[in-house]
Amino acid sequence: MNHVETLATVLFALAVIHTFMASRFEHLAHHSKAHGGLWHLLGEIEAVFGIWACVLIVFMLPLLGGGQTLSYLQGLNFTEPMFVFAVMVIAATKPILQLATLGVRGLAGVLPLQRSLAIVVVAISVVPLMGSLITEPAAMTLAALILRDALYSQGASTRLKYATLGVLFVNVSIGGTLTSYAAPPVLMVAGTWGWDSAFMLHTFGWKAALAVLVNTALLTLFFRRELLGLKVVTQEIRRVPYAVMLIHVFFLAGVVVCGHYPVAFIPLLLLFLGFADAYKQFQDRLLLREGLMVALFLAGLVILGGLQRWWLQPLLADMDERLLFFGAVGLTAITDNAALTYLGSLVEGVSEGFKYALVAGAVAGGGLTVIANAPNPAGFALLKNYFDDDAISPLGLLLAALVPTCVAVSAFLLL
């Protein structure tokens, strides 16, 4: 297995490099007639880890044999990719979006801010904090869809688009820490370490909420003039009956409650698809392709990440608490933060300080790259078409997320 682990690490590194080259491939796709389709596939960040996971499996078959390869795949947990797919498809529907928009407009109406600015403020602060109740994937989907209509489709500058994306990704990553079930990196350790929602709110939640508000305030102050110039989305949003909205809420809530059990939430998703097909007049196009691409991304990350334990776990175990905190922030940029906390939970005899440093660092760094936090690909898929060449630059995202990440780091480290 040692050779396979080494190979998996090499392929994982190549996949990370590939993500930083995706915008280049998209550029080639727009200027190549002969092989545009291939360049477009390579430029799809959501497909990157799926592609390299397939390469790994191709090599594993002759190295380990079909039996051992299947045994490895069967031993992996693909609940998170399936859950994110189900949540994304339901949360991105017209009835859910209209209900969320009603709530956002209602809250924006009571804020002492200009209307367009207030909608953006609520979308990047309140909605990410709602992720602690409705889960981070649902919050990311809803926030991205609201921002798409209120900001990204309004001709905002590239700087504002990247800055908003960086704040959104960081705020969603830390905004799910008010409870013990909503954020994937918390979910991986809560049962093992006995962390309940009261503990999360007392230890992490209030710090995260403060960081979310500071990040939002900094963004709005820096881009205040441009944000005030945005148009308010005024189209009628009450065309969907409230009864249909409530049925959609029921399905979304059911998937969230059953989020640990695919045997329960997959049938709910199938029933929902049947209901949506029966009442097509109340639906826009379901985001099935986008949801499947995000699921492919996360599934590839699970396959490749499952063989990184040999170097990640000893690395974490050898760090002191301060180094672990910053190490987790940095490692999260190149690996999924849920995988990082899971591997840390396997280290025996660790202190409470070790546990705090690992999780705080993992969620604080969750906005640095698209692979850092499981919901990020959902936001990426919904907003990428509003950037040049229909692609988001990983370097642009990294730079945009640095300031909000520093705010999150300061909140968890100093408060």
Side-chain angles (χ1 to χ4, degrees):
M1 195 69 172
N2 289 340
H3 295 303
V4 173
E5 289 175 337
T6 303
L7 173 64
T9 300
V10 171
L11 294 178
F12 186 87
L14 291 174
V16 172
I17 295 171
H18 187 163
T19 63
F20 283 86
M21 296 178 62
S23 59
R24 177 59 181 166
F25 288 131
E26 281 291 351
H27 178 77
L28 291 173
H30 284 81
H31 295 84
S32 174
K33 295 182 179 179
H35 304 290
L38 175 61
W39 296 126
H40 179 70
L41 174 63
L42 293 175
E44 290 269 13
I45 282 192
E46 300 95 318
V48 167
F49 279 86
I51 292 171
W52 289 101
C54 289
V55 173
L56 174 64
I57 293 171
V58 168
F59 279 100
M60 286 178 69
L61 286 171
L63 289 172
L64 298 179
Q68 275 191 273
T69 301
L70 286 175
S71 179
Y72 169 70
L73 294 175
Q74 288 177 332
L76 297 174
N77 186 353
F78 291 99
T79 298
E80 187 175 68
M82 290 187 286
F83 173 72
V84 171
F85 169 68
V87 164
M88 186 175 176
V89 169
I90 300 176
T93 54
K94 182 178 180 179
I96 291 290
L97 180 59
Q98 288 193 2
L99 184 60
T101 303
L102 285 172
V104 167
R105 288 186 180 180
L107 185 55
V110 302
L111 293 179
L113 298 171
Q114 195 259 5
R115 186 73 165 173
S116 60
L117 177 59
I119 290 175
V120 173
V121 166
V122 173
I124 61 175
S125 59
V126 177
V127 176
L129 290 173
M130 283 174 54
S132 287
L133 298 176
I134 64 175
T135 74
E136 287 185 356
M140 177 66 81
T141 303
L142 291 174
L145 288 169
I146 293 169
L147 288 171
R148 180 194 65 184
D149 296 333
L151 190 152
Y152 284 84
S153 63
Q154 300 295 323
S157 67
T158 300
R159 289 181 65 203
L160 177 56
K161 290 177 184 178
Y162 273 105
T164 306
L165 190 69
V167 170
L168 175 63
F169 278 16
V170 174
N171 282 1
V172 168
S173 181
I174 63 178
T177 60
L178 281 69
T179 61
S180 60
Y181 67 87
V186 175
L187 205 60
M188 291 295 184
V189 302
T192 303
W193 291 343
W195 290 1
D196 58 15
S197 292
F199 173 86
M200 288 303 303
L201 182 62
H202 177 265
T203 308
F204 293 89
W206 69 274
K207 301 175 185 179
L210 181 60
V212 165
L213 295 178
V214 171
N215 284 337
T216 303
L218 290 175
L219 177 74
T220 53
L221 286 173
F222 194 82
F223 291 96
R224 186 172 185 272
R225 180 174 298 179
E226 185 174 354
L227 288 169
L228 289 173
L230 295 174
K231 297 178 182 178
V232 179
V233 181
T234 57
Q235 68 262 31
E236 178 61 44
I237 64 172
R238 296 181 181 271
R239 291 171 293 170
V240 176
Y242 283 108
V244 176
M245 291 184 182
L246 290 176
I247 291 173
H248 278 62
V249 170
F250 166 79
F251 279 112
L252 180 59
V255 169
V256 169
V257 170
C258 301
H260 297 297
Y261 312 103
V263 70
F265 70 72
I266 291 299
L268 278 174
L269 174 62
L270 296 177
L271 286 173
F272 166 78
L273 293 176
F275 176 82
D277 185 67
Y279 291 90
K280 293 179 181 178
Q281 67 270 34
F282 303 128
Q283 301 290 342
D284 290 328
R285 182 183 67 86
L286 296 179
L287 300 185
L288 294 173
R289 179 190 178 277
E290 292 84 349
L292 285 171
M293 290 297 289
V294 171
L296 172 65
F297 178 96
L298 296 174
L301 195 57
V302 168
I303 293 171
L304 287 168
L307 291 169
Q308 309 308 314
R309 181 182 303 183
W310 69 275
W311 66 272
L312 262 179
Q313 191 171 329
L315 183 65
L316 294 175
D318 290 340
M319 294 181 178
D320 61 32
E321 293 172 8
R322 181 61 64 93
L323 181 60
L324 175 64
F325 177 84
F326 288 104
V329 173
L331 287 171
T332 290
I334 61 171
T335 186
D336 177 60
N337 57 8
L340 188 65
T341 57
Y342 170 72
L343 292 173
S345 71
L346 300 178
V347 181
E348 297 179 356
V350 297
S351 65
E352 292 301 315
F354 177 99
K355 298 174 184 177
Y356 176 86
L358 176 64
V359 175
V363 297
L368 292 171
T369 62
V370 70
I371 69 173
N373 192 32
N376 290 359
F380 184 97
L382 293 171
L383 298 175
K384 67 177 182 179
N385 291 335
Y386 296 91
F387 291 81
D388 294 338
D389 291 326
D390 296 334
I392 297 172
S393 165
L395 181 59
L397 172 60
L398 180 66
L399 294 175
L402 283 180
V403 171
T405 297
C406 288
V407 172
V409 165
S410 299
F412 287 127
L413 197 61
L414 302 178
L415 297 180

